[in-house]
Amino acid sequence: PHGGYPGGQPPPGAPGGEAGANVASGDAKTLTFTTQMGKKVEISGESYDACLQSCRDSPELKDAQQSGAFGVADAALGGEKANQARCAEFCEAEFELFCFPGNSKVMVRGRGAVPVLQLRVGDLAWAAIPDEDGWELRFDPVVAFLHQAPELEAEVLRITHEQGKLELTAGHLVFAQKEGEAFAPVPARSIRAGHRLAAPWVDGSVATPQVLRIDAVRRKGLFAPLLACGTLLVDGTAASCYALPTPIAESSSFRRLVELIGWRNLHPLAQLCFSPVRTMHYPRCAKIQ
């Protein structure tokens, strides 16, 4: 329903009417949240904070609005608190979740191509690490998951290139190359047709297939594995384990930082920032191996 964007324009939000679809309401952007009882509720789609606030304020999610057998069933499932918590998770999936769909594949030593949802801490996953001479391909341990949401549904970008496709949320970092520039980790939302990605070739080298089109699709189950090296190959395409939240990306201080260090050095900076996380989880990972 979204169509392709060979011209490279960013895809719009998912229309439709299913949970999470964007709905026109005058000039305001709204989203449709489905409660645990299957009731459709319109909430704000203007921003993450506005979405959370409308979850708290919506009268349709409050216990006072439930009655009869429907109210009894809703209360048995947690009632108002459960509805608001699920609504908050829904907002997170729409605005702030940075993951890969659970059906995306990762090559794991001794297990072959494994869906991300079946990836385990301690698995040795295939990764492509950028260095001064190009790329290093190696198996690296999964030390933790930054996020696991098997039941959440959200919009992701499907980036089709000459060697395959990659699906990930819009704020996730992917290694891309603009014409005349070096490879750099950039948010998936900034990828355009004509850019080049990094993907292993059959001879062990890393090819640079061109992006052909970008589509917005919905997927259920979102996961963010963290490898020791901070990168991984998902569906045969090099991506970062890290993401860039919209509020940070749009801040003037971040733009000044990028001007100072360049996009190419953003990933090493993220690796440095997440060093405590890797250090905390690495002993458990080593024990599992």
Side-chain angles (χ1 to χ4, degrees), residues 114-136:
V114 175
V116 174
L117 65 88
Q118 295 177 12
L119 201 59
R120 304 179 301 225
V121 170
D123 279 343
L124 294 175
W126 203 21
I129 301 99
D131 58 30
E132 295 298 326
D133 299 321
W135 296 87
E136 177 190 358

Side-chain angles (χ1 to χ4, degrees), residues 35 69 93 95 104 191 245 278 280:
T35 71
F95 289 98
S104 295
I191 301 294
R278 296 196 307 277
M280 178 176 63

Side-chain angles (χ1 to χ4, degrees), residues 181-192:
E181 298 182 11
F183 269 95
V186 298
R189 68 171 66 89
S190 71
I191 301 294
R192 301 290 183 267

Side-chain angles (χ1 to χ4, degrees), residues 22-23 45 71 87 95 107 110-111 119 142 151 153 177 185 193 197 214 219 234 251 260 271 285 288:
N22 293 332
V23 181
C87 186
F95 289 98
M107 289 297 298
R111 298 180 64 196
L119 201 59
V142 177
E151 299 302 319
E153 179 185 324
Q177 181 184 46
L197 305 183
I214 303 164
R219 293 288 184 260
V234 180
S251 69
L260 179 65
Q271 272 286 84
C285 167
I288 292 174

Side-chain angles (χ1 to χ4, degrees), residues 86 88-94 97 147-154 219-222:
R86 283 169 53 87
E89 289 182 347
F90 169 77
C91 292
E92 183 181 5
E94 290 294 325
L97 203 58
H147 204 102
Q148 289 178 293
E151 299 302 319
L152 280 183
E153 179 185 324
R219 293 288 184 260
K220 182 179 179 181
L222 298 167

